Amino acid sequence: MSRPRIVVVGLGDTGVLTAIALRTLGDVVAISATPEFVSGQELGLRLARPEAWTRDYRIAYRRFRGLDRVRIVHGSATALDTENRVVRVSLAGGTEGDGAAGDGTAGDGAAGEGSVAEVPYDIAVVATGVTNGFWRRATVRDSRGVDAEILLPHQRVAGAASVAIIGGGAAAVSSAAQVAERWPGKAVDLYFPGDRALPHHHARVWDRVRGRLEDMGVGLHPGHRAELPGGDDDDTAHLTTDPVRWSTGQPPATADVVIWAIGRVRPNTSWLPAAMLDDRGFVRVEPTLQVSGHSDVFAVGDVAATDSLRTSARNRGHILVARNIRAHLRGTPPRDYRPPRRRWGSVLGPLRDGLIVFTPPGRGVRVPAPAADVLLQRLITHQVIYRGVRRRGQ
């Protein structure tokens, strides 16, 4: 029998892990909006120290050993045809043919920007994620476009004397910490709607993080719910400068730069049949991560409506997808996804004195900076989780 063709749509944080996990189960084709891996993680580090962020969170696909036999198509999915089992892709350009993973070439169709390819599948995996602010986008771009979207926000924040961060999640909290550490002379203020930030983490996490932020001089402003600029959320995708007004009644707040990290995500699912989506546009999935009504289509990551927090992006959902695709191909029973009760992991990101990793019960484990770099990034992340990442230039 010929090997099944497995098409992974989306090659971000979850998509890369999924493609690597599937590499032994069939001929894997992955569709990516960028010619390289661009993570949506660690917004604060990306804003404050983009050179450090780039080292670990922007990686050429050819450096991933687990993608050596994965065919990369640089473009954007425009339709999923379940009757004919094809994914239609608007290509970003390149040459026709197979091409090495990560080289930006587009396979399965004629070359040329704007041309459309049909990528056939036996199994499809939706891992297109969400759009969130200016740091998680679904638009097709080349390496120069990625350069600009990393550098320009950093320059805006670097040139500001005062920075306001709006939001109470990990992206907002880490932004406040990273900006305050990088530029101790800046006025940095964090505004969030509840009594505490990090409402989906254990209460112990905020207790420890709050103390660290206060030590850094970050102004903390609970009970502030922002009115969206212009009455919608379009402007929250950018850094803004206008005063921030509050629906909770406080006087407007001003800063040279306002970072909106309020969690207004939009699922990247406009290319999917409407019947696959819930009322917010996320993909309806069974506990097995199979799309409801389509046993040969799976969804994983922030795009999959597994639970209210869509936790399969951070809790080994890619491993379950690989196991269940194997079970589907063999005709054996699949396993169910069980979402965790609370979020866990790093919140502040890697600071100069190290990294704090929080467990689900809220206890923090501090890892000194050298160990965080060598042990966590170089060994655990690159060699274990990613199954091998080559050094630059290799």
Side-chain angles (χ1 to χ4, degrees):
M1 293 180 61
S2 61
R3 286 163 57 86
R5 170 170 280 206
I6 305 172
V7 175
V8 179
V9 187
L11 212 52
D13 293 297
T14 302
V16 161
L17 292 171
T18 302
I20 291 171
L22 292 170
R23 70 195 188 284
T24 62
L25 301 185
D27 295 329
V28 179
V29 179
I31 299 166
S32 173
T34 57
E36 56 195 315
F37 171 64
V38 181
S39 175
Q41 298 183 58
E42 301 294 356
L43 171 62
L45 182 65
R46 174 171 161 166
L47 286 170
R49 293 189 284 147
E51 68 291 340
W53 182 90
T54 295
R55 184 186 61 188
D56 292 322
Y57 297 99
R58 181 184 181 183
I59 305 172
Y61 289 131
R62 63 179 174 272
R63 292 178 57 202
F64 291 94
R65 296 185 188 277
L67 295 180
D68 282 350
R69 292 192 293 175
V70 173
R71 188 172 182 177
I72 310 293
V73 177
H74 184 196
S76 177
T78 59
L80 176 68
D81 183 341
T82 58
E83 182 177 353
N84 295 301
R85 288 177 138 188
V86 297
V87 179
R88 295 189 178 90
V89 182
S90 177
L91 301 177
T95 59
E96 183 178 6
D98 286 336
D103 66 357
T105 61
D108 297 292
E113 185 174 357
S115 61
V116 176
E118 289 194 346
V119 183
Y121 69 85
D122 297 304
I123 301 288
V125 181
V126 179
T128 42
V130 296
T131 293
N132 187 7
F134 57 85
W135 65 94
R136 299 181 70 182
R137 302 169 55 209
T139 54
V140 174
R141 59 256 196 226
D142 58 16
S143 292
R144 286 175 295 182
V146 175
D147 289 341
E149 68 184 28
I150 294 171
L151 182 59
L152 294 180
H154 165 73
Q155 291 175 334
R156 289 275 307 276
V157 174
S162 58
V163 178
I165 298 101
I166 315 299
V173 171
S174 74
S175 295
Q178 294 282 347
V179 170
E181 183 193 58
R182 174 65 178 82
W183 296 287
K186 289 188 192 301
V188 179
D189 289 273
L190 175 66
Y191 299 86
F192 46 94
D195 293 333
R196 67 180 181 94
L198 305 175
H200 300 301
H201 291 72
H202 196 286
R204 292 193 192 100
V205 177
W206 175 238
D207 290 341
R208 183 161 179 179
V209 167
R210 178 183 57 201
R212 187 66 189 269
L213 293 173
E214 289 173 343
D215 290 344
M216 291 177 166
V218 175
L220 301 179
H221 305 272
H224 284 65
R225 184 173 295 278
E227 295 180 357
L228 298 179
D232 57 42
D233 63 349
D234 290 341
D235 285 345
T236 66
H238 310 281
L239 301 176
T240 60
T241 57
D242 292 337
V244 180
R245 303 184 184 279
W246 312 103
S247 63
T248 40
Q250 297 91 346
T254 59
D256 292 341
V257 168
V258 179
I259 301 168
W260 294 84
I262 56 177
R264 285 191 168 265
V265 301
R266 297 189 302 275
N268 300 321
T269 56
S270 61
W271 60 284
L272 290 171
M276 287 187 174
L277 309 179
D278 66 12
D279 56 1
R280 296 184 60 202
F282 295 94
V283 182
R284 299 179 186 272
V285 292
E286 302 300 324
T288 59
L289 300 184
Q290 289 167 293
V291 174
S292 300
H294 299 272
S295 61
D296 58 349
V297 182
F298 293 72
V300 65
D302 288 320
V303 77
T306 51
D307 56 284
S308 60
L309 299 179
R310 300 177 304 282
T311 56
S312 69
R314 292 163 291 279
N315 293 279
R316 294 171 60 83
H318 63 287
I319 298 296
L320 181 63
V321 163
R323 287 175 174 169
N324 285 350
I325 288 176
R326 181 185 292 110
H328 176 80
L329 294 172
R330 293 177 176 176
T332 57
R335 299 183 184 181
D336 287 352
Y337 176 71
R338 293 180 175 83
R341 293 173 54 198
R342 294 190 178 98
R343 288 189 171 174
W344 60 280
S346 169
V347 172
L348 300 178
L351 296 168
R352 296 193 185 280
D353 63 352
L355 180 74
I356 302 175
V357 178
F358 292 97
T359 64
R363 294 179 175 83
V365 179
R366 185 179 177 277
V367 183
D373 182 59
V374 175
L375 179 62
L376 294 184
Q377 285 294 347
R378 299 291 169 264
L379 180 59
I380 295 178
T381 302
H382 283 194
Q383 304 308 321
V384 177
I385 296 176
Y386 286 141
R387 308 292 179 90
V389 176
R390 299 178 177 92
R391 294 181 179 179
R392 293 181 183 274
Q394 286 187 321

